[in-house]
Amino acid sequence: MTDLTPTSKGIEMTTDKIKTDTLIVGAGQAGVAMSEHLSKLGVPHLVLERSRIAERWRTGRWDSLVANGPAWHDRFPGLEFDDVSPDGFAPKERVADYFEAYAKKFNAPIRTGVEVKKVQRNVGRPGFTIETSEGVIEANRVVAATGPFQRPVIPPIAPKDAPFKQLHSADYRNPQQLPEGAVLVVGAGSSGVQIADELQRSGKKVYLSVGAHDRPPRAYRNRDFCWWLGVLGEWDQAAMKPGREHVTIAVSGAHGGKTVDFRGLAHRGMTLVGLTQAFDGSVATFQPNLSENLARGDENYRALLDAADAYIERNGLDLPEEPEARITFADPECVTKPILQLDLVEAGVTSIIWATGFATDYSWLQVDAFDANGKPQHQRGVSSEAGVYFLGLPWQSRRGSSFIWGVWHDAKYVADHIAIQRSYLEYRDADERQADSLPAATKTTVSA
């Protein structure tokens, strides 16, 4: 733990409180990016982190996780990975170390081991009062940089008092953590499919519940899909397409980066089922939509191949053709004869892993910046409550907002907004400017 001291960059001590211009809550990728931009603009600020810098990367993910994007892409502009190939996928610990090194590069005023408990707007005077585990802070502005992965969500259909070990993906670490027996993995986005693959490789029988998803190629014609989404303008989409709000993306950097192929997993012994619908004791019921979900994932996959081919032809690029990318596995029996009900006990299932996402938790931020459903009300991170900002949210300004490079660009926009607001508050009218120009003795006479 690092104490808050009056000598720390960006803060000053009054008789009983610490004051700073801007308080950033959270020192993950969003908080570090925000601090860099505010530092460049000369805005006094302080970053508070209840654990360590980039703690989620260290302890909030499974042991074998690597970044989902290659090292040339999943980084900030000001620092490269010096020990990971540009086309490689950095292990999670290396990603956390990267953000620590980045923060040291510009001497970010980060205080770790300090939890923010409450933020409230001051009455009759500017700014906010912030209660922390280390005392009270006053700030003119507050940036919530805690990101979207705050509270693991397990749906209410989860069986109660069932004879299964149940974990959210946030608590899964490795196959040795689970008892002997088969596993049901619910959710087939990036986390679910990677965990299911790891469990299958460890020798476990795995059932994978597959919902609606996008399934891009890991790479196509010598270019990673991150590159394709960039040149095709997909990362900069300003709004999600209608009906895609609950569609996850199935992509992985594991094992050097391979395209996720659900049929391929099934042909290796994994059993695919549709979206998990309900539990009655030990009996799980699945929706009859497995084939439809796979088909829509295939459609998304082929659409990117088609767009890439058209881009290559339109721009006359010399990239090798890859006809094998369009070869697909035949439907396995679990797709042609889908399982709609499964007695998990009879099937030998002893564990359920819920890869069902996260919810935000802003209970500490007691300001008028949320809608009736508790979601942040903001425009590109500038909230409906003056002086409150959000950073690191999915689709904050574009599709790429919650990715490492995307949050850096969003932070620049928010920092610029803060600097502009500060410039207005520093305005002095003619009378004030004249008073400022008077000699000190004259000012005393005038005031007298």
Side-chain angles (χ1 to χ4, degrees):
M1 181 182 297
T2 303
D3 290 334
L4 300 174
T5 65
T7 57
S8 297
K9 177 182 176 183
I11 62 177
E12 59 178 281
M13 182 73 77
T14 62
T15 54
D16 59 347
K17 292 185 181 72
I18 292 170
K19 290 189 175 182
T20 188
D21 181 88
T22 300
L23 179 72
I24 302 169
V25 183
Q29 60 200 44
V32 172
M34 192 73 226
S35 181
E36 179 186 10
H37 289 298
L38 290 181
S39 295
K40 288 179 178 178
L41 292 168
V43 177
H45 65 282
L46 178 64
V47 186
L48 297 186
E49 167 57 52
R50 64 182 175 184
S51 299
R52 295 174 292 176
I53 295 173
E55 181 68 19
R56 297 280 181 173
W57 280 98
R58 298 191 188 280
T59 58
R61 292 164 168 83
W62 61 96
D63 296 344
S64 64
L65 176 70
V66 299
N68 277 337
W72 67 262
H73 184 267
D74 279 14
R75 64 176 179 86
F76 289 165
L79 183 66
E80 296 182 0
F81 286 90
D82 58 6
D83 56 352
V84 180
S85 164
D87 297 314
F89 301 88
K92 68 183 186 72
E93 287 288 345
R94 181 64 186 89
V95 176
D97 291 342
Y98 173 90
F99 289 119
E100 273 203 283
Y102 202 96
K104 289 178 182 177
K105 200 166 76 76
F106 62 93
N107 194 27
I110 298 175
R111 299 294 172 263
T112 57
V114 182
E115 182 178 3
V116 173
K117 296 180 175 294
K118 184 189 296 185
V119 174
Q120 290 182 309
R121 176 173 286 284
N122 295 329
V123 178
R125 57 192 176 93
F128 303 86
T129 295
I130 301 99
E131 295 180 14
T132 81
S133 58
E134 293 294 303
V136 176
I137 297 175
E138 290 203 344
N140 296 326
R141 279 159 279 274
V142 176
V143 180
T146 49
F149 306 123
Q150 298 168 25
R151 181 170 55 83
V153 172
I154 294 179
I157 63 169
K160 309 295 190 292
D161 301 321
F164 313 113
K165 182 180 182 68
Q166 298 188 62
L167 292 174
H168 190 273
S169 58
D171 299 313
Y172 170 80
R173 294 296 174 265
N174 53 60
Q176 292 70 42
Q177 186 182 11
L178 304 182
E180 292 292 327
V183 184
L184 170 64
V185 179
V186 181
S190 291
S191 296
V193 73
Q194 289 181 57
I195 291 172
D197 182 44
E198 176 174 88
L199 291 171
Q200 184 183 48
R201 289 171 184 265
S202 76
K204 285 187 174 293
K205 172 63 180 175
V206 177
Y207 295 86
L208 177 61
S209 177
V210 181
H213 61 273
D214 283 348
R215 188 177 71 87
R218 174 71 268 175
Y220 181 58
R221 299 183 71 168
N222 278 3
R223 295 291 187 272
D224 189 87
F225 97 97
C226 290
W227 188 87
W228 284 117
L229 291 190
V231 299
L232 294 172
E234 293 290 326
W235 286 128
D236 289 325
Q237 285 183 16
M240 189 180 296
K241 295 175 182 177
R244 308 294 290 176
E245 294 83 356
H246 303 292
V247 174
T248 61
I249 182 169
V251 67
S252 172
H255 311 292
K258 306 291 183 184
T259 298
V260 172
D261 191 325
F262 291 104
R263 292 180 183 82
L265 292 172
H267 282 291
R268 284 180 12 220
M270 190 178 295
T271 300
L272 309 178
V273 294
L275 191 72
T276 303
Q277 187 171 26
F279 288 86
D280 183 3
S282 66
V283 177
T285 302
F286 308 104
Q287 293 186 14
N289 59 2
L290 174 60
S291 180
E292 176 186 348
N293 291 337
L294 294 179
R296 289 185 177 181
D298 294 342
E299 180 182 349
N300 169 260
Y301 173 86
R302 288 191 298 268
L304 196 145
L305 300 188
D306 292 342
D309 287 341
Y311 181 89
I312 290 170
E313 182 177 358
R314 185 167 62 249
N315 291 280
L317 300 184
D318 184 19
L319 296 177
E321 293 188 3
E322 194 178 336
E324 60 271 21
R326 295 181 181 272
I327 299 174
T328 59
F329 286 99
D331 281 344
E333 184 176 356
C334 61
V335 176
T336 59
K337 299 178 180 178
I339 297 173
L340 301 182
Q341 278 194 337
L342 181 68
D343 189 315
L344 300 182
V345 171
E346 289 184 3
V349 173
T350 58
S351 305
I352 301 175
I353 295 180
W354 296 93
T356 43
F358 297 79
T360 55
D361 181 3
Y362 292 111
S363 57
W364 53 273
L365 189 55
Q366 299 177 12
V367 296
D368 188 18
F370 304 95
D371 64 17
N373 297 316
K375 292 184 177 181
Q377 294 187 128
H378 69 95
Q379 181 68 30
R380 296 188 64 178
V382 180
S383 87
S384 56
E385 173 85 32
V388 174
Y389 301 84
F390 295 97
L391 191 59
L393 300 178
W395 292 89
Q396 178 158 316
S397 70
R398 70 193 85 187
R399 179 176 179 175
S401 285
S402 55
F403 292 79
I404 291 173
W405 65 271
V407 79
W408 188 90
H409 290 283
D410 282 348
K412 185 178 187 304
Y413 178 86
V414 173
D416 286 343
H417 189 278
I418 289 173
I420 290 169
Q421 292 302 303
R422 279 170 51 85
S423 70
Y424 281 118
L425 294 175
E426 290 169 358
Y427 170 77
R428 308 284 285 171
D429 62 32
D431 290 343
E432 290 169 327
R433 291 195 298 270
Q434 183 178 8
D436 290 341
S437 66
L438 293 174
T442 307
K443 291 180 182 178
T444 304
T445 302
V446 171
S447 63

